[in-house]
Amino acid sequence: MIFQANLIEELLAVLGYWDRLFSGFLLTMWMYGWALLLGFILGLFLAILRVYGGTIFSGVATGYIEIMRGTPLVAQLFFIFFLPNTLNIPSEMWVIETSFSIFNKEISLKLLDYPIFVGILTLSLNSGAYQAEYLRGSIVSVGAGQLEAAQSLGMSRLSSIRHVVLPQALRRVIPAWSNEAAYLPKYTVLVYFIGGVEELFFQADFIQHKTFFPLTTYIIVSIMFLITITSISKLLEFIHKRTAIPGL
Amino acid sequence: MDEPLLRIVDVWKSYEDLQVLKGVSFELAERDVKVIFGPSGSGKSTLLRCINMLNPPDSGEIYLRGDNITAPNVDLNAIRTRIGMVFQHFNLFAHLKAIDNVSIGLRRVKGLEKQEARRKALEALNRVRLAEWADHYPAQLSGGQQQRVGIARALAMEPDVILFDEPTSALDPELIGEVLQAMLDIAKAGTTMVVVTHEMGFARAVASEMIFLDDGVVIERGTPEHFSVSPKSKRVKRFLNQLDVLYGSHEKLLKLSEEEEGK
C-alpha cells in the first residue's frame, strides 16, 4: 500500500489546494515563457556570431556557450542571486503583483521581484546557450550556396542572412529546438532552490506539508508537467508542419 | 579604343597551398559570349568567383566598364548587382516561389515596389519560358526548370554581364537542352555572358571566343571554328578528343573500352 489513506481521499485533499497549484503553475509558465523568448533572442544572436562573426566574435560566443553549458544551472542561479550583494549593489527590484478571482477564490500572483528576476535572467542566459547551438546547426545546414546566391544579387551580408538564411534556418530548427522548449519547464523548477519564489514546487512543498500526502502531491505536479510538455511538443510539431516549404 | 565591358588583368588566386589561378587575363566586349572550358580543377569556377568577388583574387585587377572592382573600398554589393551569376547547383532560395526568387533582388537591392518587382520578375520568367510556373517552389520544379529560374533571377537584375558556372553539369541529359535553349535565347538577345561549360554545341552556336584553361593558365584561345578545326596544343587536342568520346558516337566509347580490355 503506497498511499497513506484512500487514493480518492488523498487526491481530494491535495486538489483542495488547486488555487495554489494553479498560481504556482502560472508563475512557472510565466518564467518559462520569458526565459524561452529571451533565450531565443540571445541564442539567435550567439548563433549568428558563431557562424558569421569571424575569429574573435565567434570565439567569444563559443566561450560563453561552453561556460553556460558546462556549469550547473543551480550554480548559475546562486551566482547571479548573490552577485549584487557581493558587489554591494542594492538588489531591490520593482515588485509587480496581480490578483484575480476564479471560482470564488482570490488568487494573488507575484510576477516580478528580485528572486523571480534572477530566475528569469539566469534561465534566459542558460537557455540562450543551448538554443544557440540548435540554431547554429540549422543555419549551417542551410548551406553557403544560399548566402552566395543572395550576395551575387548584390544583397548585403546582413540582408542575405535576414531574408534568405534565417527564414530557412528557423523552419529547420523547430524539431531540434522543441527539445529545448520541452526541457526548459523542468529546468525552471530549479528556481525553487534560490527560495522565495512561489512557483509550482514551492506550492507542492507547501501542500505536502499541509496534507502529509507527498506522493500524491508530486504525482499531480508531475502530471501537470506531462500535459504541459506534451502540449508544447504537439504545438511545435503542428507549427513545423504548417511552415514546411512545399515540395521539400 | 573603347574600354571593354570586362577586363581581367593577370589574376592570381590560391587556396592555402594550392595555386589555382596563375595569371589569367582576358577581355570581354559588349554582347560577347565567352566560353571557358578545360579539365576539372583547372580553375574555371574559381575564375568566375573571382570576377564577382565571391572569392577576391590575391593579385591582379578586374575592370567592369572601366571601374576597378578589385580596388580596396569598392562597394562590392553595388558591383555584384551589375554581375549576374548562375550556379552549377542552381542555389535557388528554397523557401521562395519561383517568382519571389526572381523578384527578391529587385525588391531588396533595387528597392522596387512589390507590383513593379513582380511585373519585371514575370517578364524575366517569361524569357526563360517559365511564366506559368511562377507560383511553384524550387522543390516542385525539375532541375532544368530550376536552372532556368536561376537564369531569370540573374536576368531580372539587368546586369552588365552574367557568369554561368557549369550551368548544365548537374542536370540529367534530357534536361540540358531546355537550359541551353534559354541561354541561346538570351545570348542572341544581346546578353553579355561568360560561360564555363563543356557543351561544345552551345559554344559553336554563340561563343565569340573560347578560352581553354588548364592548371590555372590560359593554354589556348580562339573562335569555336579554331578549336573544332585546328587546335594547336596537344593538351587541348587530347581534351577535345575525350569530350568527343564521351559525347560523340558510342562506337568511339566501345573502341576505347576494347582497347582498355586489350591492355
Side-chain angles (χ1 to χ4, degrees), chain B residues 16-28:
Chain B
E16 282 157 24
D17 291 342
L18 186 69
Q19 192 68 49
V20 184
L21 296 176
K22 304 168 184 170
V24 174
S25 305
F26 67 84
E27 290 182 1
L28 194 67

Side-chain angles (χ1 to χ4, degrees), chain A residues 145-146 148 151-152 163 245, chain B residues 49 80 91-92 94-95 137:
Chain A
Q146 295 281 307
E148 283 180 356
Q151 288 186 291
S152 82
H163 294 289
I245 296 165
Chain B
R49 298 170 64 84
R80 291 201 189 103
N91 297 11
L92 293 187
H95 63 303
Y137 285 86

